[in-house]
Amino acid sequence: SEDNGHLYSVPIEGGEPRRVSNDHPEPHHYYLHGISPDGATLSYVAVEGRAGMKRINIFTIPAAGGPDTRLTDVSYPNDGPEYSPDGQWIYFNSERAAKVPGHAQCFRMRTNGTGIEQLTFDERVNWFPHISPDGGWVVYLSFPPGTTGHPPNKDVILRLMRPDGTQARDLAAFFGGQGTINVNSWAPDSRRLAYVAYPLTK
């Protein structure tokens, strides 16, 4: 919930929402991004701290509720944590390799936070890696060099790569940005995906 920063579960058929997330002594806003293949665990981004001292790190929490598990504990931003279909990896974007603020690239790590691997290495700013249901491809959103965060109103590129970062290629270029592909939108057969492009007005 954007209003209070917590995660909730609600039955598909409707009903009373149940809060999944926990209270913290300091501000800890939950932003859900991934669900493990067995449905047991959620991966999320926590915006921790107060204005001027905020940190953006990756955590997991049981889908039924329970203790938070911290996977990153760093001062630079991380975002978009999403499970691979085999449950072995969490894909995410991070500024951990940035030489200038805002230069995010795509990474993956084991689900316990170990074995971090960088997957993209170019001058563009790369966000939100989403792996296909068959595990064969990753699509991600590529912003122009010098972009900070994932803002709207940019000339962006959707790119494809293999799960290990090889065979990267452009899929589509258009005007978009924030909201274009923040969460996984692959079709179940891994042959198509959905995205949002902004209308161009004169």
Side-chain angles (χ1 to χ4, degrees):
S1 169
E2 176 69 19
D3 289 339
N4 65 14
H6 282 286
L7 300 181
Y8 293 83
S9 172
V10 65
I12 291 292
E13 63 273 13
E16 188 68 22
R18 175 182 59 84
R19 202 179 88 179
V20 174
S21 51
N22 301 303
D23 289 319
H24 292 261
E26 292 294 321
H28 187 104
H29 282 227
Y30 291 73
Y31 292 88
L32 177 64
H33 275 272
I35 304 173
S36 63
D38 62 6
T41 309
L42 310 177
S43 60
Y44 72 91
V45 171
V47 178
E48 307 173 273
R50 303 181 186 280
M53 299 183 63
K54 288 183 178 179
R55 289 159 31 105
I56 305 173
N57 277 290
I58 295 172
F59 289 74
T60 60
I61 187 172
D68 300 280
T69 298
R70 179 185 290 275
L71 299 186
T72 66
D73 190 5
V74 292
S75 60
Y76 46 79
N78 307 270
D79 213 328
E82 184 175 299
Y83 285 89
S84 60
D86 62 8
Q88 299 299 305
W89 297 95
I90 289 177
Y91 285 74
F92 65 105
N93 59 269
S94 174
E95 293 182 29
R96 64 181 297 114
K99 293 182 172 59
V100 295
H103 191 201
Q105 296 291 302
C106 296
F107 295 81
R108 67 179 180 178
M109 62 183 166
R110 295 294 182 181
T111 55
N112 63 0
T114 65
I116 295 176
E117 299 178 3
Q118 187 171 348
L119 303 175
T120 61
F121 297 84
D122 56 77
E123 74 284 355
R124 296 182 64 83
V125 176
N126 299 314
W127 275 73
F128 296 138
H130 304 307
I131 191 163
S132 59
D134 65 5
W137 292 98
V138 176
V139 65
Y140 62 95
L141 183 62
S142 186
F143 286 90
T147 303
T148 299
H150 52 108
N153 303 318
K154 295 288 185 179
D155 291 317
V156 296
I157 301 172
L158 280 185
R159 305 201 80 206
L160 281 177
M161 64 181 173
R162 291 297 187 183
D164 63 359
T166 59
Q167 299 184 39
R169 63 179 177 87
D170 292 355
L171 181 63
F174 51 89
F175 190 61
Q178 162 63 15
T180 284
I181 193 166
N182 287 29
V183 294
N184 197 311
S185 57
W186 282 95
D189 64 4
S190 300
R191 297 181 63 187
R192 298 174 185 271
L193 56 89
Y195 65 91
V196 176
Y198 297 178
L200 295 175
T201 58
K202 295 182 179 180

